[in-house]
Amino acid sequence: MSSKKHAVPEAKAAMDQFKFEVASEIGVPLTKGYNGDLTSSQNGSVGGRMVQKMIQAQQSKMAG
């Protein structure tokens, strides 16, 4: 049982789609379901790039 709770449960599908788009952009072969064959580095690069893109989007929004 997972104790992970989403701050905005309605955003889960959009975040999943975003994750797969980022993985594809950077060449990480992420698939739906089991991804235990990916390295920590590959998984981390997806998460890191997602954060970079979200920060860039927010900065652009704030800049006008």
Side-chain angles (χ1 to χ4, degrees):
M1 179 197 279
S2 174
S3 63
K4 184 188 230 181
K5 296 194 182 192
H6 298 282
V8 183
E10 300 81 15
K12 182 179 181 344
M15 289 301 290
D16 284 344
Q17 180 63 34
F18 181 45
K19 177 173 54 176
F20 284 102
E21 289 172 8
V22 168
S24 177
E25 286 176 13
I26 62 175
V28 174
L30 188 67
T31 61
K32 292 187 191 252
Y34 180 75
N35 283 290
D37 54 334
L38 298 178
T39 66
S40 297
S41 178
Q42 287 173 309
N43 286 314
S45 65
V46 173
R49 183 66 182 133
M50 287 175 69
V51 170
Q52 285 177 335
K53 290 184 87 152
M54 287 185 278
I55 290 170
Q56 288 171 346
Q58 187 61 35
Q59 286 174 336
S60 293
K61 183 177 176 182
M62 291 171 67

